[in-house]
Amino acid sequence: MRSGSTDPAMKKARAALMIYLALIFPLSAVLPPWVSFENGPVENAQAIILAAFGVMCVFFFKHGASAVRRMWLPSAGIFFILTARELSWGRVFFTEGYSPETGPIIIASSKMPYYTEIHAAVGVVLLLCLYGFVRYVPWKRVLKEIPLPLPEILLLAVCVTLATLGDHGSMFGHTIRDQQVEELSELLMYLTLGHTALYYYRRLNALYEK
């Protein structure tokens, strides 16, 4: 099975993602600390982008090939769950103060209103999304007839690795630069997920409209 896409626009988008990856470490060295703070520009961009990709998947559901359109609703659900996760399930809207070193101080999970109910609802929605993937994704055709996007898969693996290392302070000794790498890597990961969703949307439409 060959990998990748012959679509020029998708190739350009992939190249842009790779350029972003190459810039993560240089940017982490020069960006001011507040850029990666809680409720800062990078985290806000993550939430906005994830929500936008959720809306994009709803568009795919409404306008995609009829044979596979239902798979895009659980896809949208996953993006919306990730959006809620980036908002710490709503905790970002409840701050207790501000630290010059770390930014806004958000409340603990135990102090979050309806904390248990929110997590229960997220669990139910996640199970429904997983069921939708199993039920509505045409797995045989996806695996046999659509080229595997190996560059995107590798890029996601690199992003997860960098974000994990940054979260644990394993690269720069628990400095703000670790946090910069973590947040920039997470943003790239979300952009790559959206790019991959678009890739499969185009491929599936071409496959079922033959």
Side-chain angles (χ1 to χ4, degrees):
M1 180 182 296
R2 64 191 182 85
S3 64
S5 170
T6 58
D7 186 325
M10 295 298 285
K11 282 187 173 182
K12 290 180 180 179
R14 177 185 291 164
L17 294 174
M18 296 299 180
I19 292 172
Y20 181 147
L21 175 63
L23 291 174
I24 285 179
F25 281 101
L27 286 174
S28 72
V30 298
L31 289 175
W34 54 265
V35 169
S36 62
F37 282 175
E38 195 75 50
N39 291 347
V42 176
E43 286 213 349
N44 288 339
Q46 292 170 1
I48 291 170
I49 286 169
L50 286 167
F53 285 145
V55 173
M56 179 184 75
C57 289
V58 173
F59 175 88
F60 292 168
F61 167 73
K62 296 181 70 174
H63 300 283
S66 59
V68 292
R69 59 193 297 267
R70 286 181 292 183
M71 66 172 279
W72 294 111
L73 278 185
S75 301
I78 293 298
F79 278 115
F80 290 136
I81 288 174
L82 288 172
T83 303
R85 175 186 171 276
E86 279 306 316
L87 296 174
S88 298
W89 316 114
R91 288 194 299 126
V92 295
F93 301 111
F94 299 88
T95 59
E96 296 182 317
Y98 184 88
S99 166
E101 291 78 24
T102 60
I105 302 170
I106 62 175
I107 63 173
S109 299
S110 59
K111 297 181 181 180
M112 176 70 186
Y114 304 107
Y115 173 78
T116 303
E117 291 82 356
I118 290 172
H119 278 71
V122 170
V124 171
V125 173
L126 181 59
L127 287 175
L128 290 173
C129 289
L130 293 176
Y131 169 79
F133 273 121
V134 174
R135 176 70 177 82
Y136 297 121
V137 174
W139 292 105
K140 288 184 180 180
R141 299 200 72 177
V142 166
L143 296 174
K144 289 184 178 181
E145 301 180 50
I146 297 180
L148 195 65
L150 286 178
E152 284 76 5
I153 292 172
L154 292 173
L155 187 55
L156 288 171
V158 172
C159 289
V160 170
T161 301
L162 290 177
T164 302
L165 291 173
D167 183 47
H168 289 85
S170 302
M171 291 178 286
F172 302 102
H174 293 278
T175 66
I176 189 62
R177 193 173 179 189
D178 284 297
Q179 185 174 328
Q180 300 274 34
V181 170
E182 177 193 359
E183 299 300 338
L184 291 170
S185 298
E186 286 186 357
L187 179 58
L188 177 57
M189 178 172 62
Y190 299 146
L191 289 168
T192 305
L193 285 174
H195 171 77
T196 304
L198 179 59
Y199 169 82
Y200 277 106
Y201 172 75
R202 292 187 174 187
R203 287 286 183 168
L204 285 166
N205 276 2
L207 191 63
Y208 281 90
E209 290 175 359
K210 288 181 179 179

